[in-house]
Amino acid sequence: VILSLMHLAALQKRAFGLITFEAHVVSQKFWPKGKAITLQDKIDVAEISSNGAGTNFWRPLMAAFEFRQTEAALKPADIVLITDGSCDMNDDQIWALGNAKTNTNTRVHSITVGDEDYSCVKKFSDHISQVTDTGDIEVIKTLISSTASGWKK
């Protein structure tokens, strides 16, 4: 899914940001509008792996909103959260995410992988897709058509 989004950004000559996370933000990368996303960039992203050190949505989502605020090329932008875990968020965090979404006119599309309980994701996502098979091409088709033509709820 990440590689598909990178490819779409490159084709449309749009900026692209990537934040990887576990229980904390692991890395942040940004390709400005007009800077080519190279084959090596795609290979580097494909090689990203997780050590399974927990899941925390709050930190990466807030980092994504900060990214969006500081990088002019990411306005407008959507956030795509891809997770294979679940976590709890308190009411203040859910309220702050909703406020950040409203203030920045940003949508959050979540892609859940596997059969975890994703009730927390429902609290802040505008759209959710679930992947139970890593070859589920329908999720990628929906995501790409949604970014190109507006979100379907």
Side-chain angles (χ1 to χ4, degrees), residues 1-2 5 21 55 57 61 79-87 108-140 142-143 151:
V1 173
I2 296 169
L5 292 172
F21 67 97
T55 301
F57 300 145
L61 286 169
I79 295 171
V80 178
L81 175 80
I82 304 170
T83 184
D84 65 351
S86 62
C87 76
V108 175
H109 180 106
S110 294
I111 299 174
T112 60
V113 181
D115 296 323
E116 290 283 334
D117 172 16
Y118 295 109
S119 56
C120 179
V121 172
K122 294 176 184 174
K123 295 177 183 178
F124 59 79
S125 299
D126 297 291
H127 189 270
I128 300 171
S129 298
Q130 184 173 16
V131 176
T132 54
D133 175 1
T134 56
D136 192 348
I137 194 70
E138 290 306 312
V139 170
I140 295 171
T142 299
L143 182 62
W151 294 92

Side-chain angles (χ1 to χ4, degrees), residues 19-20 24 28 50 52 82 97 145 150:
I19 299 171
T20 59
H24 62 283
Q28 295 185 44
S50 170
I82 304 170
L97 285 174
S145 67

